Each structure stands twice: as C-alpha cells, then as structure tokens.
Amino acid sequence: MKKFVKKISLFLLIFSINSLINLSSANQRIVIAGGSLTEIVFALGAGDEVVGVDKTSSYPEKVKQLPQIGYWKLLNIEGVLSLKPTLFITLNDVEPDNVIEKVSESKVDVLALQRVPGTIELLYENIGKIASKLNKQKEGELLINRIKTNLADIQTKIATHPQKTKVLSLMSMSGTNSVAGKNTTIDALIAIAGGENLAKHNSFKSYTAESIIAINPEVIILNKYSIDQLGGLDKIATIPGITETAAFKNNRITIIDDSYLFGIGPRVDEAAKLLFQSFYPE
C-alpha cells in the first residue's frame, strides 16, 4: 500500500511540474526582433503570445497590427521593455550593441539566435531552439519535416535541369539599381531553387545600365517594394538597361514578396517553389 501511495505521489508531483511548465509557457509575453524568427514563432502555433515585433516582421498579416520596436539594426530598448516581455527572441547581431545586455539586465529571458550564414541548416537549428524554449518540440519537428519534404521534392525536379538558369536580383530605390550578391537572403533562395546568381560580389552593389546589359540575365527578380518605388509594374521598363536583357525581352521578370527576404524562414519551401517555377517554367 505504501509503495502504491508513493507512486501516486510521484505521479502527481510530475504532473504538477509539467502543468506549471505548460502554464508558464502559455503565459509568455514574447517580443521578437527578426522577421524570420517571428514567422517561426507563428508557425509553431505561439503567435498569440507575441506582443511586439521589429519592422522586418510582416508575416503573417496579423503581425502588422502589433506594437513595433523599431528596425532590427536600430532597436528601441525602452520600446522593448515597455511591452513587459517575459521572453525576447532576437537575432544575435541586433543593434545597438547593448540591446541584448540591457534587456537581460531587466530580468527578461533572452533567446539570441544566429542570422548568418543564411542556410537551411541554420533555419532548422533556430526552429529547434525556439521550439524548445516555447515547449513546442513536437510542433518544431513537424515543421522541420514539412520543410525538408517540400525542399526534397524541389531538389528532385532541379536534378532534371543540369543547365542552371542565369539570374539577377534587383532592388530599385530612388533611381538606383542595387543588385543582391553573396551573403544575402535572395542569393540563398536562388541557390536553393536551382538558379545561378550572376552577381558574385558580397552583399548589395549598385549596377550601371551597361553592367546590367553586359551580364544579361535570363531571369530578373524584383521585390514588391521596388515595384512600389518605381510606381507600378508598368514602370519596370524605366530601370536603366533592363529592356536590353534577355529576361525583359522574354517576359521573365519575377516579383517576390518582401517578407521572404528578411532571413531564411519557415516559408523557405514556398519561396523556393515560386522561384523554381520561374527559373524552369513547364
């Protein structure tokens, strides 16, 4: 009888501890700096616990109605703390440099995650860490498996196209053509989707009309913000040099949503599928 009582007592103790852990997790007030991290939290089913985000967080739609804490490279520390977070999920290279330290000193739990390199492996790692912190391990595994399955399907299709499509990604701002090179999210997405980024420089660089004509991409990627800056789709031809490219002449201009470009996130398979279809149309 005593053994039975001990077993029951142990069971109730474990049950109580688990209940407290789950209750603690369910009552989180999460503030996030990093659009891809915000998407992960929502994809794990913890979106209702998010009380503030940075300006790069624009997906899902309901995120746009949350209080903002500034751009991830210029965060408002007071803005973060004013939201009374219990958990601050952030990229580890946010600025100003003392943000993470100051938030931690205010007795807020901080989960700082790597932003680079922008790889699928890092995405899986970050999903795992966030899922563990939020007690959403099962959801994390399901999310990772979904992405892996969808990307494997795309890789199988890429294998049937040994000749890679030549791609250039432009961001048009105030009349300047900024081209995305290595160590950018769109460069990683181009590679995942089976294309070849013709820009070999690091980060972003302005190209002249002559440079765009000389490089002559088969596909040009523009983001929606650039289209807005130009004044609409019908203004694409005003980008200096673009009308002389094979991409323009063959009507192979791909428009990608800006929310895909703030880091490799849980919709990477969706973005890769969109790009693959534009690189290798049936």
Side-chain angles (χ1 to χ4, degrees):
M1 185 67 179
K2 286 182 180 180
K3 287 184 178 180
F4 177 74
V5 171
K6 282 182 179 179
K7 285 182 180 179
I8 290 293
S9 299
L10 182 60
F11 172 78
L12 291 174
L13 177 63
I14 292 170
F15 178 79
S16 299
I17 291 171
N18 285 336
S19 297
L20 285 170
I21 291 171
N22 291 334
L23 181 63
S24 172
S25 177
N27 290 332
Q28 291 274 24
R29 289 180 59 82
I30 305 171
V31 173
I32 310 172
S36 60
L37 305 183
T38 298
E39 288 198 28
I40 290 171
V41 171
F42 273 83
L44 292 173
D48 289 343
E49 298 167 40
V50 180
V51 297
V53 294
D54 77 316
K55 286 185 177 180
T56 65
S57 300
S58 60
Y59 185 90
E61 191 67 26
K62 63 181 358 178
V63 166
K64 296 176 181 177
Q65 303 182 11
L66 291 171
Q68 286 197 344
I69 56 172
Y71 181 61
W72 72 280
K73 279 291 186 184
L74 192 63
L75 291 181
N76 184 324
I77 299 174
E78 290 74 20
V80 173
L81 296 176
S82 71
L83 296 172
K84 302 189 186 320
T86 59
L87 175 61
F88 181 44
I89 300 177
T90 178
L91 299 168
N92 65 355
D93 54 348
V94 287
E95 294 180 12
D97 295 337
N98 63 344
V99 171
I100 293 173
E101 180 186 350
K102 290 294 183 184
V103 174
S104 295
E105 286 175 355
S106 299
K107 309 302 180 188
V108 176
D109 192 9
V110 176
L111 178 61
L113 300 167
Q114 283 183 246
R115 180 178 62 87
V116 292
T119 62
I120 297 297
E121 290 71 30
L122 181 59
L123 170 64
Y124 296 153
E125 185 179 321
N126 286 344
I127 289 173
K129 287 179 178 178
I130 293 174
S132 179
K133 177 65 74 173
L134 299 179
N135 197 31
K136 297 273 189 182
Q137 290 90 339
K138 184 180 290 186
E139 290 85 348
E141 289 174 11
L142 289 171
L143 179 57
I144 290 171
N145 287 337
R146 186 211 78 196
I147 297 169
K148 283 184 175 179
T149 299
N150 291 342
L151 289 181
D153 181 56
I154 293 172
Q155 288 302 313
T156 300
K157 293 176 181 175
I158 289 171
T160 66
H161 298 277
Q163 190 69 34
K164 288 187 177 181
T165 297
K166 313 297 184 184
V167 184
L168 201 67
S169 177
L170 286 175
M171 289 193 180
S172 183
M173 294 173 283
S174 305
T176 302
N177 298 323
S178 188
V179 176
K182 300 304 175 186
N183 295 315
T184 61
T185 299
I186 190 62
D187 177 68
L189 289 174
I190 290 169
I192 293 166
E196 179 189 344
N197 187 1
L198 292 173
K200 307 304 180 186
H201 56 80
N202 194 51
S203 193
F204 292 89
K205 182 179 177 181
S206 294
Y207 274 33
T208 62
E210 291 76 17
S211 296
I212 292 174
I213 293 169
I215 207 165
N216 195 26
E218 297 173 275
V219 172
I220 288 176
I221 300 170
L222 285 163
N223 62 321
K224 286 186 177 179
Y225 179 79
S226 295
I227 298 300
D228 292 340
Q229 288 286 297
L230 288 168
L233 283 169
D234 57 337
K235 297 293 195 301
I236 289 176
T238 64
I239 297 174
I242 198 170
T243 57
E244 299 302 311
T245 64
F248 185 87
K249 292 174 181 176
N250 296 321
N251 196 28
R252 299 188 69 185
I253 308 292
T254 298
I255 312 301
I256 191 166
D257 193 273
D258 298 85
S259 64
Y260 288 129
L261 305 179
F262 297 123
I264 300 295
R267 292 184 298 147
V268 61
D269 51 341
E270 186 179 300
K273 182 179 179 181
L274 183 155
L275 291 177
F276 172 80
Q277 290 171 340
S278 72
F279 298 166
Y280 307 103
E282 293 181 358

